[in-house]
Amino acid sequence: MKLTIIGCSGSFPGPESPASCYLLTAQYQGRTWRVVVDLGNGALGKLQQHLALEDIDAVCLSHLHPDHYMDLCGLHVAIRWRPGGWPGKHVPVYGPSTTDQRIASAYGMDPNPGMHPDFDFQTWRPRQAETIGPFTITPVPVRHPIEEAYALRIDIAAEASADAREHTLTYSGDTDACDGLIEAARDADVFLCEAAFEDGRDDHIEGVHLNGHRAGVMARSAGVGRLLLTHIPVWTSQRVLLAKAREEYAGDLAVAVAGVTYEIGATTTHHQGETKQ
């Protein structure tokens, strides 16, 4: 399975990256499966460098802040107005219970029918797994100031891995430290974990985001194989985050970079530079 970082800028698009968006691809049962995890503002354009939009098998949303879901508006336009019509079925969108209403409101639409003609909206049920091709995705509630926020534990079928073994990628979504995050990340091969707050500067803020130290503690407590820090705003120092995470976590550690592709289930590789510690 491949993880491609489409966007990793925290809270809003930065000069070198869109907001949160990650592409999972895997060969399984004779074809390529493509799942988009979060679709934040600015991500839809970069995503098209890696796939044709009609090849998306599903969109999975961690929560409903704009930097994680707002480019559903653009995908709606692509589906509704594609010359010759959109091929195949509606695109499945997995997310919190009010996803259909929020995205309709964002576009100024009556929620009935809203975007239901374009998307097949599916509601996450906490700790209830959903299977999309080779991916089994389990949403686990985490700590963030919005009604529904989830970390996503993504288990990959052995048949989709180069070494014929099951593997796990956990995506934190947005969260502060909590037991749910450790649960979701337990023994994951790769932990794609937000670290939006800078250690020493934002320590007075509780219940919103992780910093480097707390991300390191979560990774160590969960026993993950690799920690990738993501969702880092333009005003937050990656070097500080790495140094503080390293104090708590001794495993493979790096900062996610837009455009990098990682192989999960084989030797981890990347296509361009990443900041490591």
Side-chain angles (χ1 to χ4, degrees):
M1 185 201 83
K2 293 181 179 180
L3 162 67
T4 300
I5 312 298
I6 304 299
C8 53
S9 182
S11 302
F12 57 90
E16 297 179 356
S17 172
S20 296
C21 183
Y22 310 92
L23 173 63
L24 307 179
T25 58
Q27 297 294 322
Y28 183 67
Q29 295 182 340
R31 75 173 184 90
T32 301
W33 290 79
R34 302 172 178 89
V35 171
V36 176
V37 177
D38 278 350
L39 192 57
N41 40 339
L44 193 64
K46 288 291 186 181
L47 183 62
Q48 292 173 79
Q49 295 179 1
H50 300 274
L51 52 65
L53 296 180
E54 58 265 29
D55 290 335
I56 295 173
D57 288 298
V59 176
C60 298
L61 303 176
S62 63
H63 67 290
L64 297 180
H65 280 152
D67 57 319
H68 293 262
Y69 85 101
M70 190 55 72
D71 268 20
L72 274 179
C73 287
L75 184 56
H76 148 76
V77 172
I79 293 171
R80 180 67 60 89
W81 299 105
R82 185 181 188 273
W86 187 262
K89 300 178 180 180
H90 300 329
V91 175
V93 175
Y94 294 81
S97 58
T98 58
T99 301
D100 58 341
Q101 300 170 45
R102 290 283 297 277
I103 196 63
S105 177
Y107 204 77
M109 303 173 72
D110 188 322
N112 185 18
M115 295 186 186
H116 283 272
D118 310 307
F119 299 124
D120 178 15
F121 291 100
Q122 301 290 327
T123 298
W124 292 128
R125 295 169 296 168
R127 297 179 175 84
Q128 297 296 305
E130 299 284 352
T131 299
I132 306 167
F135 308 109
T136 299
I137 304 176
T138 304
V140 180
V142 290
R143 185 185 179 197
H144 195 56
I146 193 170
E147 186 173 352
E148 295 177 64
Y150 298 101
L152 301 180
R153 182 181 179 89
I154 304 165
D155 295 306
I156 303 101
E159 297 91 327
S161 298
D163 60 1
R165 292 193 301 110
E166 292 185 359
H167 291 275
T168 300
L169 163 70
T170 294
Y171 170 50
S172 68
D174 280 6
T175 180
D176 202 345
C178 61
D179 291 342
L181 184 58
I182 297 173
E183 174 189 343
R186 181 74 65 191
D187 298 324
D189 296 87
V190 176
F191 185 22
L192 183 63
C193 183
E194 73 115 290
F197 283 166
E198 185 172 314
D199 304 75
R201 185 193 64 197
D202 305 317
D203 296 347
H204 61 289
I205 308 174
E206 290 286 334
V208 182
H209 291 295
L210 296 164
N211 58 16
H213 169 81
R214 295 199 295 273
V217 170
M218 294 293 98
R220 173 173 51 80
S221 299
V224 305
R226 186 176 205 207
L227 174 59
L228 284 177
L229 301 178
T230 191
H231 195 274
I232 301 173
V234 296
W235 49 60
T236 294
S237 168
Q238 297 182 4
R239 296 291 181 184
V240 170
L241 297 181
L242 285 167
K244 292 298 183 179
R246 175 55 75 210
E247 292 177 1
E248 297 294 334
Y249 176 71
D252 196 352
L253 171 64
V255 168
V257 177
V260 172
T261 295
Y262 300 88
E263 186 82 23
I264 300 174
T267 302
T268 302
T269 60
H270 59 275
H271 297 320
Q272 67 182 61
E274 62 180 7
T275 304
K276 301 182 71 173
Q277 178 76 23

